Amino acid sequence: MGLNKQSFIRGTFVLTLSSFFTKGLGFVNGIVLARFLGAEGVGLLMIAHPLLPLFITMTELGLPVAISKLVSEAEVKGDEARIKRILAVSLSVTGTLSIVLTLVALFGSKWIASIVLADQRAYYAMVAITPIIPIIAMSAVLKGYFRGRQNMNPLALSDILENVAQIIVIIGVVNMLLPYGIAYAAAGAMGASVIGEGVGLLYLFSVFKWANRGKSKEQRRFVPSVRLKGDRTLRDLLRIGLPMTGSGFIHSIYHAFLPLVITKSLVLAGVGVEMATKQFGMLAGYAIPLLFLPGFFTQSLSTALIPAISEASAEGDTRLMHSRMDMAMRTGLLVGVPCTVILYMWAVPLTTVVYHSPEAGVLLQLLAPLFFLHYFEAPLKAILLGLGKASTVMWNHIMTNIFEISLIFVLGSNLGIRGVALGFGLGILMLTVLNFYAVAGSIGFYFDFRMVIKAGIGGVVMTVTGLAAHRFLEQHVQLGATAALLGAILVSLLVYAITLQATRALRSRPKAPTIPVS
């Protein structure tokens, strides 16, 4: 018995719903860690895995995206043998690399700790998190397989089970290890992450075995022809995966040097070292996380979009590609407008209520309009990956990172932290433009711009209504700051939804695509 293929809309809905729950579980997990470990213990956790993302990037080799694309193409052709080869080669490559890198990390842990750990008490936590490398690698392969099959249920449930298991283990293990010291308790928390990932992997493997339980031994057996074509399969996987690995390396290096560049630019602007650190914290720790908070919408959409575009591309169905692209752009627009309005209009109240830092609201308000483009950038990137343009995605990221870090340094040195924020926002603008032109040059670009007018009307109406509701709740009902803010946001979102329904934006369907614009 195989997996039931889901529609693009249903797959996106499943991932969005699960992302909402996992975001909530992650928030609970953070509260539990903060309560048990305190700021000092959480600091040890942050110090403990500086090289882990790099090791995971080296292990995965960008294969999850490649697997998703190639499996979806093979399924269109009904080529089950090719799907077997993709899985066999991917598991062999990631399994071998993950074991090697895990052994290197374990046997070289003392040397690594002496170089990269600012606090040597984080050594035990660093060692405890190392076994997660092969688990994540195996999970990534299976997740890529399920994406390619366009069934998102296993991904959604595995993420939820992983978070629940992690919270349960943290409560038990950290309490047990706290009497032995904060270093051992932090290591226990890291161990809980490994167990949580293990539970997720076990579930994914169980679903995979269940989906193939009805097949005969002959169908499950890897025949010689499958092995003989393994080299070609590896080339196909690496053709897509290596550019993604390159993007991961550049991303890791960029973020490693970014704090240094920002603080240095602020010092050159005349800001003291302590104040520069504080301002960097307000930007990176307060404003940017709030901007990325609604990101699970676009993340879920992009995850489902890659195999959907791959399938349409394999069938040569340009109309279907444009239909799915239009749906992604409309979703990004309809979600991006209210999120941008809320983050801009209530920037200071949000940072005051959440972080007790009204100063961060100024940075949030500056970034929110430019960050609106992020709701389009992620789907555009997914479209390029679905088309097999991984190298284009890599070079767009490289050019954007060079442009962004240069702009941050120049503007930060002259305008201070606002210049840094502006440089970050202009980087998002450049990446979106580059991805847009890459998509337009590949398949053309179609979009019903009447949706922009409808969403714009909804944004204006929700702004006016939301501000009036906020003023009324504060001055007349005399609710507290948190309740008034929450009430105003809920009212504005309700009015926005009603406006979209009234303008028929939610029921709008694109006409047949016109001649693509390249």
Side-chain angles (χ1 to χ4, degrees), residues 388-400:
K389 304 286 185 179
S391 59
T392 302
V393 172
M394 180 187 72
W395 285 112
N396 286 351
H397 272 284
I398 290 174
M399 288 187 288
T400 298

Side-chain angles (χ1 to χ4, degrees), residues 117-356:
L117 295 186
D119 190 330
Q120 293 303 307
R121 293 178 301 168
Y123 168 75
Y124 299 106
M126 184 188 76
V127 173
I129 195 65
T130 302
I132 206 171
I133 296 173
I135 298 175
I136 289 180
M138 297 295 104
S139 295
V141 171
L142 290 176
K143 287 179 179 179
Y145 167 79
F146 288 121
R147 289 190 195 104
R149 290 287 197 182
Q150 296 189 52
N151 190 304
M152 307 303 171
N153 290 344
L155 278 67
L157 290 174
S158 69
D159 286 342
I160 293 173
L161 288 173
E162 173 191 324
N163 280 272
V164 171
Q166 184 175 343
I167 293 172
I168 293 172
V169 175
I170 283 176
I171 293 173
V173 173
V174 174
N175 267 329
M176 184 175 66
L177 294 176
L178 265 177
Y180 297 95
I182 195 70
Y184 290 101
M190 284 299 198
S193 299
V194 177
I195 294 173
E197 285 284 348
V199 170
L201 174 59
L202 183 62
Y203 171 75
L204 289 173
F205 182 73
S206 300
V207 173
F208 175 77
K209 293 292 289 183
W210 175 85
N212 291 276
R213 75 187 191 282
K215 296 182 179 179
S216 66
K217 291 182 179 179
E218 289 298 317
Q219 288 176 302
R220 291 196 297 263
R221 184 167 59 89
F222 289 98
V223 295
S225 62
V226 172
R227 297 192 191 100
L228 290 174
K229 295 179 181 179
D231 290 342
R232 190 182 70 184
T233 301
L234 180 60
R235 286 196 299 271
D236 290 340
L237 287 167
L238 293 181
R239 176 175 52 84
I240 301 171
L242 286 180
M244 297 304 298
T245 305
S247 296
F249 273 113
I250 297 298
H251 189 72
S252 299
I253 294 171
Y254 169 75
H255 281 281
F257 283 98
L258 187 60
L260 180 63
V261 171
I262 291 176
T263 52
K264 181 65 176 177
S265 68
L266 293 177
V267 169
L268 290 176
V271 180
V273 176
E274 290 185 4
M275 180 57 69
T277 303
K278 180 181 178 181
Q279 290 182 346
F280 173 67
M282 286 191 297
L283 176 63
Y286 295 167
I288 292 178
L290 280 176
L291 289 166
F292 278 106
L293 187 61
F296 63 88
F297 284 104
T298 53
Q299 180 183 357
S300 304
L301 176 67
S302 301
T303 300
L305 190 58
I306 294 174
I309 292 293
S310 297
E311 180 187 46
S313 177
E315 294 176 340
D317 193 339
T318 305
R319 182 181 295 272
L320 182 59
M321 278 192 285
H322 278 274
S323 175
R324 287 171 173 171
M325 178 174 66
D326 181 83
M327 186 181 298
M329 294 295 102
R330 284 190 293 123
T331 303
L333 175 68
L334 296 179
V335 170
V337 167
C339 291
T340 302
V341 168
I342 290 170
L343 292 171
Y344 180 81
M345 297 305 301
W346 289 289
V348 174
L350 275 170
T351 56
T352 302
V353 167
V354 177
Y355 301 114
H356 304 290

Side-chain angles (χ1 to χ4, degrees), residues 64-85:
V65 172
I67 294 166
S68 173
K69 174 176 170 54
L70 295 180
V71 167
S72 64
E73 291 176 349
E75 188 171 35
V76 168
K77 300 174 182 178
D79 193 347
E80 289 293 327
R82 178 163 171 76
I83 294 175
K84 291 179 183 179
R85 291 195 296 272

Side-chain angles (χ1 to χ4, degrees), residues 484-500:
L485 177 62
L486 182 60
I489 290 175
L490 291 175
V491 168
S492 64
L493 287 174
L494 179 61
V495 170
Y496 178 72
I498 293 172
T499 305
L500 291 184

